[in-house]
Amino acid sequence: MKRIVLTGAMFTTCECDPPGYYVAGSRMEIIPNVSMTLYNVRFVESGLTLFYWPKLTVPLYTSARPPFRLPEIGHSGHDGWYVKLSFPYEAFGAGGLLLLDWFQRKGVGAGVTHWYRDDNSGMGQVHVYALLNRQTQTIDPALGWAGRLSSNPWNASWELDYFEEGFYEVRRRTAEGSLSLRNTRPDGYVTLSASGAREATPSALRTSLSGSVRLNQRLPNGLLLNVTADTVLRLGYPVERRLYGYSFDLQGGSAPITWRIVANERFHPDLA
């Protein structure tokens, strides 16, 4: 495999001359269309080195995994001053980011975001994080799983999250998720999507679910069929909802005569 090695290399997206910021390394190894690896990396802005990494690998192909993230330093009314750091790593052909955060009012948080799949077939990511919250005297976890897969004729994507927050007396536990499936064929397609959330507190349990199905199908004799179905459930809320809707659309004929049969029952989106 062809490899290009440069010493004293730098790169930037700044169009100024000289550039206002750039990334520089003592050595750069480039594998065309695969990756670029820098050693002893410095991020320099206005002549001042702000950040340093011993090694940094940047993919040269479309990737869901960021090669690195710059530290975040800021202030908010909720957290006070905060610093968020991330450290890229690679292991067994995969990789991710180690996370380390400090919040003035809450304390220290740490975790990892790991990409176990990142190629033409799809993406897979897991996230594990915990905040040692001194404000509430609790450990606040956050877990996540997201991904997408592509295998003709099917495409799938999903996202699942769970987190906890608040004082023990009013502790809130939330689980959220979404799923999307699509089957594409020369004569049409079918899509299925669903999402939901469940929120539990000592005094209430709330559940919201929604789902939809879409069918587009070309039939013999020039017929075109479109069918949709939707549902929304909201349980445990002050106003509960159980909504269902559908649409049926069949078209046919040839010029100058065409015909269409339509039947539907829908709910107002604001009610959802």
Side-chain angles (χ1 to χ4, degrees), residues 77-199:
H78 189 251
D79 299 321
W81 288 101
Y82 62 84
V83 178
K84 297 182 179 181
L85 305 175
S86 62
F87 306 92
Y89 69 89
E90 293 187 22
F92 307 107
L97 297 171
L98 300 175
L99 310 173
L100 181 62
D101 303 334
W102 172 83
F103 302 93
Q104 180 186 10
R105 296 178 179 173
K106 293 182 178 180
V108 176
V112 60
T113 302
H114 180 75
W115 281 263
Y116 61 87
R117 178 185 292 112
D118 183 18
D119 54 34
N120 293 333
S121 68
M123 182 275 293
Q125 175 200 95
V126 292
H127 175 75
V128 179
Y129 184 86
L131 172 65
L132 303 178
N133 196 329
R134 67 166 178 265
Q135 191 176 54
T136 59
Q137 298 297 307
T138 60
I139 298 177
D140 299 346
L143 308 174
W145 180 35
R148 63 176 181 269
L149 285 174
S150 178
S151 179
N152 192 47
W154 286 98
N155 289 280
S157 63
W158 64 91
E159 186 170 354
L160 299 173
D161 294 288
Y162 174 84
F163 58 91
E164 298 182 12
E165 58 185 354
F167 292 90
Y168 280 115
E169 296 79 8
V170 290
R171 190 75 168 163
R172 178 182 292 107
R173 297 173 173 85
T174 303
E176 301 173 337
S178 63
L179 173 66
S180 176
L181 297 172
R182 182 182 178 94
N183 180 288
T184 304
R185 306 176 309 279
D187 58 353
Y189 63 85
V190 178
T191 64
L192 300 91
S193 61
S195 63
R198 188 177 181 89
E199 180 182 292

Side-chain angles (χ1 to χ4, degrees), residues 13-79:
T13 58
C14 181
E15 298 180 356
C16 302
D17 187 16
Y21 60 87
Y22 59 88
V23 173
S26 62
R27 189 170 91 257
M28 179 187 297
E29 296 181 1
I30 301 174
I31 302 176
N33 302 318
V34 178
S35 66
M36 175 175 62
T37 302
L38 296 93
Y39 298 87
N40 300 316
V41 186
R42 296 178 296 119
F43 176 76
V44 181
E45 182 164 357
S46 301
L48 181 64
T49 298
L50 298 181
F51 308 112
Y52 171 82
W53 298 271
K55 179 182 177 182
L56 188 63
T57 299
V58 180
L60 298 180
Y61 56 88
T62 301
S63 173
R65 174 166 60 98
F68 66 97
R69 290 176 181 165
L70 293 177
E72 296 182 41
I73 302 174
H75 182 276
S76 71
H78 189 251
D79 299 321

Side-chain angles (χ1 to χ4, degrees), residues 245-265:
Y246 70 89
S247 174
F248 175 90
D249 187 339
L250 180 63
Q251 304 175 43
S254 58
I257 299 175
T258 61
W259 53 268
R260 185 177 186 183
I261 300 174
V262 177
N264 61 67
E265 180 177 353

Side-chain angles (χ1 to χ4, degrees), residues 204-259:
L205 178 62
R206 296 178 175 178
T207 303
S208 62
L209 299 170
S210 64
S212 67
V213 179
R214 302 282 187 272
L215 169 65
N216 177 283
Q217 182 71 50
R218 293 191 177 276
L219 303 174
N221 301 317
L223 300 180
L224 177 62
L225 174 65
N226 283 284
V227 178
T228 67
D230 300 276
T231 183
V232 171
L233 300 177
R234 290 173 58 86
L235 308 177
Y237 292 83
V239 178
E240 294 192 343
R241 305 285 193 194
R242 291 178 173 83
L243 307 174
Y244 307 93
Y246 70 89
S247 174
F248 175 90
D249 187 339
L250 180 63
Q251 304 175 43
S254 58
I257 299 175
T258 61
W259 53 268

